[in-house]
Amino acid sequence: SIVVGGELEYSGADIAYDEPGAQVDLDSVARAKLRVGYDAGNLQPYLVGGVARASVSGDIEGEDDGRFYGAGIDYRFGQNVIVGAEVLQHQFEDIEDSGIDVDATTVGLRASFQF
């Protein structure tokens, strides 16, 4: 069975880009995700993609929109506990008209309790 869903996510960050003449800090990333997965009982592999908004500070301040895509897997333990892992590739182009492009890979682990 194919499973389709959406998710909103906000992640705080403390990532610095420091080059001569430009110092930029990535403070947070908000994501609107579309997930398409396969229901294999307790195991659910999925593909994910969507739009992201990065908040930056330093020599360049503001927010910039980008996109991301990736894959993940969830595993259900019993009726209420789900653990998962996800790898995402982000792309932000010309952040705040600075000429700086950012490509970043993130890895996330999570545990959820369903009630």
Side-chain angles (χ1 to χ4, degrees):
S1 296
I2 301 296
V3 179
V4 177
E7 186 175 308
L8 298 174
E9 178 180 88
Y10 178 84
S11 299
D14 186 14
I15 301 170
Y17 172 85
D18 196 3
E19 290 287 325
Q23 192 275 322
V24 180
D25 295 321
L26 176 64
D27 299 320
S28 65
V29 178
R31 297 176 195 88
K33 298 179 175 181
L34 177 63
R35 287 177 43 160
V36 178
Y38 178 73
D39 184 0
N42 289 337
L43 186 68
Q44 185 182 79
Y46 61 89
L47 299 175
V48 63
V51 294
R53 174 166 284 181
S55 295
V56 295
S57 61
D59 293 339
I60 302 166
E61 294 201 19
E63 297 181 333
D64 201 65
D65 294 330
R67 59 189 176 278
F68 68 92
Y69 58 90
I73 192 163
D74 285 339
Y75 187 81
R76 178 180 295 275
F77 289 98
Q79 292 293 321
N80 302 90
V81 178
I82 301 168
V83 296
E86 187 173 76
V87 177
L88 300 176
Q89 177 63 40
H90 299 77
Q91 298 171 335
F92 296 96
E93 297 174 1
D94 196 18
I95 294 179
E96 288 293 307
D97 300 320
S98 66
I100 297 173
D101 296 336
V102 175
D103 293 331
T105 302
T106 61
V107 176
L109 301 173
R110 74 178 159 276
S112 304
F113 182 79
Q114 202 170 27
F115 55 95

